[in-house]
Amino acid sequence: MSKLFPLAGPESNGPIGAWTISSGIQGPDGHFYGNNFDLSDVPKACGRTFFGGGSVSSRCLAAHGFRQLITFQPDSRFWAFPKH
């Protein structure tokens, strides 16, 4: 199952107890960047921190419509997986 989550805050890592399979950044236009973000993908207001050697603020990206797309299995499905 895949679902969009905020980049910052208590749900930023997906549902509690879920098994995360993959995650990456999705832009406000629906484009999936994965984890391959570069300065040209970042809104100018959020990219200023790059020039100082820092990282982009997840709160700034979230304010511009970026979200985290997480593919996961809920903890309730644990027993549905076969054991090897």
Side-chain angles (χ1 to χ4, degrees):
M1 142 181 299
S2 294
K3 186 176 174 184
L4 287 171
F5 291 91
L7 288 175
E11 284 195 334
S12 63
N13 292 321
I16 295 173
W19 297 351
T20 299
I21 297 167
S22 65
S23 67
I25 304 295
Q26 181 171 312
D29 60 354
H31 178 78
F32 183 69
Y33 294 95
N35 293 313
N36 299 319
F37 234 38
D38 67 38
L39 190 56
S40 66
D41 300 322
V42 177
K44 288 182 184 181
C46 300
R48 292 186 193 127
T49 56
F50 266 134
F51 298 113
S55 61
V56 174
S57 165
S58 58
R59 288 180 188 212
C60 185
L61 289 174
H64 284 85
F66 288 81
R67 302 287 178 257
Q68 183 165 234
L69 181 65
I70 300 177
T71 301
F72 64 94
Q73 288 295 334
D75 60 352
S76 62
R77 297 205 53 212
F78 173 80
W79 298 108
F81 293 100
K83 294 181 182 180
H84 293 276

